[in-house]
Amino acid sequence: GAGVSQSPRYKVAKRGQDVALRCDPISGHVSLFWYQQALGQGPEFLTYFQNEAQLDKSGLPSDRFFAERPEGSVSTLKIQRTQQEDSAVYLCASSSGINTEAFFGQGTRLTVV
Amino acid sequence: AQRVTQPEKLLSVFKGAPVELKCNYSYSGSPELFWYVQYSRQRLQLLLRHISRESIKGFTADLNKGETSFHLKKPFAQEEDAAMYYCALSGGYSGGGADGLTFGKGTHLIIQP
């Protein structure tokens, strides 16, 4: 595709439910990032992949959050036992390498009820 | 810890008036600074980065290490400049991955006719 694609665009989950958010980066992009953007806030870094290797997961807020990129392209962010404070827009970004422009997806808006 | 501060949540200017969006940062090393923009119903996109020293859509930003600032300026505001603007910092591996970003909370720029 022409840009970073995220699905679903919107997700409503009941508290305690598990969710999986998908990111299709730009083809050939080595670096992939996940960010969490709460209402009225800027995006906050969650985790970073270089190809299939997760090199930094320091921003994941708890062990309920898990991300993978098994073949170095598509990535999935999984949140187990969702809680209300997990409600946010989850953004994925990819770039062709270190210190190159990051291109963002349109995000997945997660609402936990 | 690295931090980006955008003191104004909302900035309203008249069309044709000068625009200045403030950004201050804290970082112990040599940061790379960016401005990202999000137009209504569009994805987050890079506007400019300090190492490029470019003018994009009439906007410029100068990194002032003494004042730890990276304010975004435009001499004459246009209606199409209305958007959400985020200042961001990339400080290397710690605090956000190889080039993961630390964002400010954003400033909503409104252009009055």
Side-chain angles (χ1 to χ4, degrees):
Chain A
V4 178
S5 177
Q6 293 186 245
S7 60
R9 288 290 312 280
Y10 304 92
K11 175 69 179 178
V12 178
K14 290 186 177 179
R15 192 169 50 185
Q17 187 179 353
D18 297 350
V19 298
L21 312 180
R22 178 186 168 105
C23 173
D24 280 88
I26 293 173
S27 178
H29 275 194
V30 168
S31 299
L32 186 145
F33 305 84
W34 283 99
Y35 293 86
Q36 181 191 57
Q37 186 172 19
L39 189 64
Q41 305 294 315
E44 291 195 3
F45 171 82
L46 293 177
T47 186
Y48 161 65
F49 289 86
Q50 188 176 95
N51 296 307
E52 69 279 4
Q54 188 175 20
L55 299 187
D56 188 342
K57 53 182 181 179
S58 61
L60 295 176
S62 78
D63 59 7
R64 296 187 295 103
F65 287 70
F66 171 77
E68 60 183 5
R69 193 187 186 196
E71 297 178 359
S73 56
V74 172
S75 178
T76 304
L77 176 66
K78 297 179 179 178
I79 309 173
Q80 296 177 323
R81 305 181 303 283
T82 53
Q83 300 178 5
Q84 280 192 315
E85 60 261 31
D86 300 335
S87 296
V89 175
Y90 290 85
L91 296 170
C92 177
S94 71
S95 68
S96 58
I98 294 174
N99 290 330
T100 58
E101 180 179 351
F103 294 85
F104 281 81
Q106 291 191 299
T108 294
R109 181 178 296 278
L110 173 65
T111 304
V112 181
V113 298
Chain B
Q2 57 197 50
R3 183 181 300 161
V4 175
T5 302
Q6 293 180 250
E8 303 140 329
K9 289 190 74 171
L10 181 69
L11 180 65
S12 179
V13 302
F14 286 101
K15 180 180 172 182
V19 177
E20 183 178 41
L21 298 164
K22 291 185 168 52
C23 172
N24 288 88
Y25 67 91
S26 63
Y27 183 69
S28 57
S30 292
E32 186 170 352
L33 276 296
F34 305 80
W35 277 98
Y36 277 79
V37 61
Q38 188 167 26
Y39 300 102
S40 179
R41 299 188 192 87
Q42 294 188 26
R43 62 189 66 194
L44 198 60
Q45 58 186 287
L46 178 66
L47 179 63
L48 55 80
R49 55 198 302 180
H50 89 270
I51 61 170
S52 300
R53 306 181 76 82
E54 294 173 301
S55 173
I56 306 293
K57 298 184 179 182
F59 285 97
T60 59
D62 291 318
L63 179 61
N64 185 324
K65 292 186 178 181
E67 296 183 356
T68 60
S69 69
F70 188 56
H71 303 326
L72 184 68
K73 299 178 183 179
K74 183 170 182 176
F76 307 104
Q78 298 172 284
E79 289 184 13
E80 54 264 35
D81 296 330
M84 199 71 190
Y85 290 81
Y86 295 93
C87 182
L89 175 158
S90 173
Y93 212 82
S94 63
D99 56 346
L101 299 166
T102 299
F103 285 88
K105 292 185 178 183
T107 298
H108 186 189
L109 178 63
I110 293 174
I111 308 298
Q112 296 194 51

